[in-house]
Amino acid sequence: EIVLTQSPDFQSVTPKEKVTITCRASQSIGSSLHWYQQKPHQSPRLLIKYASQSFSGVPSRFSGSGSGTDFTLTINSLEAEDAATYYCHQSSSLPITFGQGTRLEIK
Amino acid sequence: EVQLLESGGGLVQPGGSLRLSCAASGFTFSTYAMNWVRQAPGKGLEWVSTISASGSSTFYADSVKGRFIISRDTSMNTLYLQMHSLRAEDTATYYCAKAGTLNWFSCFDSWGQGTLVTVSS
């Protein structure tokens, strides 16, 4: 099983700050890594697919990078509405796995 | 617009059964693999099962293998999850999610609102 480890688990940030969330895979997954945002009491929402491809309708301040085992989600100029938990997800091999999540709190 | 609407959740006793449904609209249902993902209260996301576009191939997490059955009815544009021998640890919100590409295993580009399953006596 491929384990995805996100860091940090929690971050408290101020608006307009730049945020970086990392996701490390226990073995190489190429670019089969996706990022989701989940706000309280809502369903997850796809932000970035295949490591760096922005999904339709996602604000341009969200971007992704990486390949192999190390991946990054970057949020430029954070906005209050970005308060949420962020998950990475790998579709390279079964079982499909998710990272444990990173909760972002806006100060 | 893609819409996924789950139903069928509720309270069930340990050892009981439940069938979840996910009504799909806004896309060609028969073209895409579909998935179930669950989230225990206050916890992270856990993949449960995937079914291919044709329905001929199914895949399960070890935690549900032999107890859950995923299926789809293309004529009804509906995805199902039949759950048997339910345990307390199956308590979660269950989401159906659409594959984002034509691959069996892909990103999940659309999610339903979820249906809560509570296993308790």
Side-chain angles (χ1 to χ4, degrees):
Chain A
E1 171 175 327
I2 296 174
V3 177
L4 298 179
T5 304
Q6 293 182 228
S7 62
D9 290 331
F10 172 81
Q11 191 168 5
S12 184
V13 292
T14 56
K16 299 188 179 180
E17 217 178 305
K18 176 181 175 179
V19 172
T20 299
I21 299 171
T22 65
C23 178
R24 175 162 289 177
S26 59
Q27 58 188 274
S28 179
I29 57 173
S31 61
S32 297
L33 190 285
H34 321 290
W35 291 97
Y36 302 85
Q37 175 193 66
Q38 186 179 32
K39 296 182 180 180
H41 310 295
Q42 293 188 17
S43 305
R45 167 198 181 195
L46 178 65
L47 297 175
I48 303 292
K49 58 181 181 175
Y50 295 99
S52 61
Q53 300 175 27
S54 295
F55 186 57
S56 174
V58 173
S60 58
R61 62 182 180 275
F62 292 92
S63 63
S65 64
S67 66
T69 60
D70 293 302
F71 301 87
T72 300
L73 173 70
T74 300
I75 311 174
N76 283 300
S77 193
L78 194 79
E79 298 190 5
E81 67 182 27
D82 300 332
T85 300
Y86 294 82
Y87 295 94
C88 57
H89 150 226
Q90 67 82 19
S91 61
S92 175
S93 66
L94 293 180
I96 302 300
T97 50
F98 290 87
Q100 81 277 16
T102 295
R103 187 163 72 90
L104 280 188
E105 173 191 86
I106 311 299
K107 292 177 184 174
Chain B
E1 179 193 2
V2 172
Q3 291 196 349
L4 300 170
L5 185 61
E6 301 96 336
S7 61
L11 176 64
V12 61
Q13 292 189 338
S17 298
L18 208 57
R19 188 178 83 158
L20 306 183
S21 300
C22 171
S25 62
F27 65 103
T28 306
F29 183 68
S30 60
T31 301
Y32 294 92
M34 294 293 295
N35 306 270
W36 288 99
V37 176
R38 68 185 181 183
Q39 186 170 37
K43 302 298 184 182
L45 301 170
E46 179 188 16
W47 171 74
V48 173
S49 183
T50 296
I51 186 168
S52 63
S54 67
S56 60
S57 297
T58 57
F59 308 89
Y60 299 92
D62 284 347
S63 57
V64 306
K65 199 173 294 183
R67 300 187 299 122
F68 289 12
I69 300 171
I70 190 172
S71 63
R72 62 194 298 162
D73 183 337
T74 300
S75 67
M76 298 286 290
N77 283 357
T78 301
L79 174 72
Y80 301 101
L81 187 67
Q82 178 69 55
M83 304 185 293
H84 297 291
S85 303
L86 283 161
R87 307 165 180 166
E89 53 264 36
D90 295 317
T91 294
T93 295
Y94 285 73
Y95 297 100
C96 68
K98 170 186 166 292
T101 71
L102 299 181
N103 298 329
W104 285 355
F105 308 113
S106 173
C107 59
F108 303 148
D109 70 352
S110 298
W111 298 64
Q113 87 290 347
T115 188
L116 177 63
V117 173
T118 303
V119 184
S120 174
S121 55

